[in-house]
């Protein structure tokens, strides 16, 4: 571990840093999340839910005006102007308005929490693309250093060949090792470019730096991992949305059951007949007679409420699974990185001995090149393991709302 910390600056890598130092600036992240289309769409759906709740609060019924005019003529007699007018409105029976308000309020709660979850998903997407970029960049730095090492080795072997101290076979072996190192460099450079392109498309306002940032050494206490895992469940918007959806569907089921007794329509009617000889005013009442259709709708709403309760429980299971998986992954990624750093130290120690033996003529070039390749591979594995450990820690922090999603 100590040996790796000394070696990292030689690769252009950082000494141990806090997690935020391996992440983009928070103000830029928050703006990028706000501007992401999925978050904007969720905000629009939230406004739609707000309007829907207001509409349910006001109710579906409005005043209705109805009127007729006619001219009546009697055989052999006079003609008379006649008219009638009616103003009516349907009214919700007691309890229905309260249920409508509950449905609207719970629907708004669902949309609000889904909007927060959309921001959560956008943050996870940003982190995923970000660490794809950092991981490829770390691999590219390792590969670039390896290419320089192989180029120096090839130049040294070519000089020895020119001095008739090395065979052409050794030159060919060094050239093959250099070609393979260059292939890996092109691959890691391409992966870094691909990851950067994805970031720039999905989060155009993030303003990425020209150079790929360094992946910090992951440092986090095990007790902190457990604490963050608990917060994943406590701060879950998916669970809160599922609870609100279950409550909304239960209120909708009660509303459908109450609607089996139809709402009455009450109106005031005035009329004039026979040219005003007969005038009158009265109250008009109409009530639809419910049948099997309303009963079927009530049964459907009840079944939907039962499904929503089951989905609420499923949401709890899923979030608990996510919390435990996040903690487990962070732990094993950290352990894997620690083992990979130990491998680097061991391989560097072995390589130092191989180089010394080659200088003394006791180790041939093939063994030295194999040792160089094993060190190269060890550094590549360490770079990937370090990035994956930081990715897992960052995901856990996002899922717990400790990073970028503070309520």
């Amino acid at each position: 571990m100590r040996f790796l910390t000394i070696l990292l600056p030689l690769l252009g890598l950082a000494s141990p840093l806090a997690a935020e130092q391996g992440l983009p600036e928070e103000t830029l992240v928050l703006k990028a999340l706000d501007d992401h289309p999925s978050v904007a769409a969720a905000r629009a759906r939230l406004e739609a839910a707000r309007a829907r709740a207001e509409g349910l609060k006001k109710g579906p019924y409005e005043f209705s005006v109805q009127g007729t005019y006619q001219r009546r003529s009697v055989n052999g007699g006079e003609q008379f102007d006649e008219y009638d007018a009616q103003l009516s409105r349907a009214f919700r029976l007691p309890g229905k308005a309260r249920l409508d308000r509950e449905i609207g309020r719970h629907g708004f709660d669902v949309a609000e929490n889904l909007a927060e979850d959309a921001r959560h998903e956008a943050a996870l997407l940003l982190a995923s693309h970000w660490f794809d970029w950092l991981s490829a960049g770390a691999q590219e730095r390792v590969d670039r250093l390896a290419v320089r090492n192989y180029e120096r080795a090839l130049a040294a072997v070519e000089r020895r060949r020119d001095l008739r101290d090395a065979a052409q076979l050794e030159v060919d072996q060094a050239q093959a090792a250099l070609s393979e190192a260059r292939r890996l460099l092109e691959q890691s450079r391409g992966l870094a470019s691909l990851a950067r392109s994805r970031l720039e498309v999905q989060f155009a306002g993030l303003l990425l730096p020209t150079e790929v940032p360094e992946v910090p050494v992951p440092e986090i206490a095990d007790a902190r991992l457990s604490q963050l895992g608990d917060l994943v469940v406590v701060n879950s918007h998916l669970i809160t949305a599922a609870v609100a959806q279950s409550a909304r569907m239960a209120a909708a089921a009660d509303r459908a059951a109450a609607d089996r007794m139809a709402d009455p329509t009450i109106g005031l009617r005035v009329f004039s007949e026979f040219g005003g000889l007969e005038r009158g005013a009265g109250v008009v009442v109409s009530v639809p007679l419910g049948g099997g259709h309303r009963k079927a709708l009530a049964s459907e709403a009840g079944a939907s409420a039962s499904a929503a309760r089951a989905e609420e429980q499923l949401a709890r299971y899923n979030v608990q699974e996510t919390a435990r998986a996040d903690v487990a992954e962070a732990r094993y990624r950290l352990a894997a990185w620690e083992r990979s750093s130990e491998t680097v130290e061991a391989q560097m120690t072995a390589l130092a001995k191989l180089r010394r033996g080659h200088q003394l003529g006791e180790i041939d070039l093939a063994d030295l090149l194999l040792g160089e390749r094993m060190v190269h591979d060890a550094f590549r594995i360490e770079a990937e393991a370090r990035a994956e450990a930081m990715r897992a820690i960052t995901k856990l922090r996002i899922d717990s709302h400790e990073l970028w999603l503070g309520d």
Side-chain angles (χ1 to χ4, degrees), residues 244-275:
Q245 176 68 356
S246 179
R248 188 182 79 85
M249 297 305 294
D254 292 341
R255 181 66 169 85
D259 213 33
R260 292 187 63 181
M261 181 175 290
D263 295 325
T265 299
I266 302 175
L268 176 64
R269 180 176 180 271
V270 296
F271 64 90
S272 173
E273 297 181 353
F274 292 104

Side-chain angles (χ1 to χ4, degrees), residues 32-45 115 118-123:
L33 295 180
D34 285 337
D35 293 342
H36 197 266
S38 63
V39 178
R43 285 199 304 266
R45 285 191 290 269
R119 187 180 180 84
H120 181 179
E121 291 299 322

Side-chain angles (χ1 to χ4, degrees), residues 24-248:
E25 185 179 342
E26 185 172 6
T27 54
L28 296 178
V29 170
L30 298 182
K31 185 179 184 306
L33 295 180
D34 285 337
D35 293 342
H36 197 266
S38 63
V39 178
R43 285 199 304 266
R45 285 191 290 269
L46 178 59
E47 290 305 313
R50 190 193 309 275
R52 190 181 308 115
E54 183 65 21
L56 287 169
K57 179 181 178 181
K58 298 295 184 183
Y61 302 130
E62 298 175 334
F63 283 99
S64 177
V65 178
Q66 179 180 348
T68 60
Y69 168 81
Q70 62 187 10
R71 188 171 182 81
R72 176 182 295 183
S73 68
V74 179
N75 290 337
E78 300 182 26
Q79 293 184 335
F80 303 97
D81 292 323
E82 297 182 342
Y83 67 87
D84 70 86
Q86 178 176 313
L87 178 65
S88 61
R89 184 181 187 277
F91 293 90
R92 288 176 287 187
L93 291 175
K96 291 186 177 182
R98 174 184 59 81
L99 290 171
D100 284 341
R101 289 193 297 272
E102 285 187 17
I103 294 171
R105 185 176 68 254
H106 293 313
F108 178 79
D109 290 343
V110 172
E112 185 176 36
N113 282 281
L114 289 181
E116 292 294 335
D117 191 63
R119 187 180 180 84
H120 181 179
E121 291 299 322
L124 290 176
L125 179 65
L126 190 156
S128 176
H129 288 341
W130 178 263
F131 280 104
D132 287 345
W133 187 39
L134 262 61
S135 179
Q139 299 276 354
E140 181 183 353
R141 280 189 286 268
V142 171
D143 293 340
R144 192 182 304 119
L145 179 60
V147 167
R148 289 200 296 267
N149 288 338
Y150 285 123
E151 286 175 342
R152 286 195 294 266
L154 176 61
V157 173
E158 287 178 335
R159 284 195 300 271
R160 290 177 53 205
R161 179 202 57 190
D162 294 341
L163 296 174
R164 300 184 182 278
D165 189 35
Q168 180 62 38
L169 176 61
E170 292 182 315
V171 175
D172 295 339
Q173 290 173 332
Q175 182 63 58
L178 174 60
S179 298
E180 175 61 14
R182 284 173 174 169
R183 183 193 69 81
L184 291 174
L185 176 59
E186 290 300 327
Q187 176 179 285
S188 58
R189 183 179 293 148
L191 289 174
S193 177
L194 174 62
R196 183 188 181 97
S197 298
R198 287 174 172 167
L199 267 174
E200 289 174 337
V201 171
Q202 288 284 348
F203 303 96
L206 198 55
L207 300 177
L208 301 179
T210 303
E211 297 295 327
V212 183
E214 299 162 352
V215 182
V217 172
E219 291 184 326
I220 187 169
D222 189 74
R224 180 58 175 162
L225 293 177
S226 299
Q227 183 184 40
L228 291 175
D230 294 338
L231 291 176
V232 171
V233 178
V234 172
N235 294 328
S236 172
H237 285 290
L238 274 181
I239 292 178
T240 309
V243 170
Q245 176 68 356
S246 179
R248 188 182 79 85

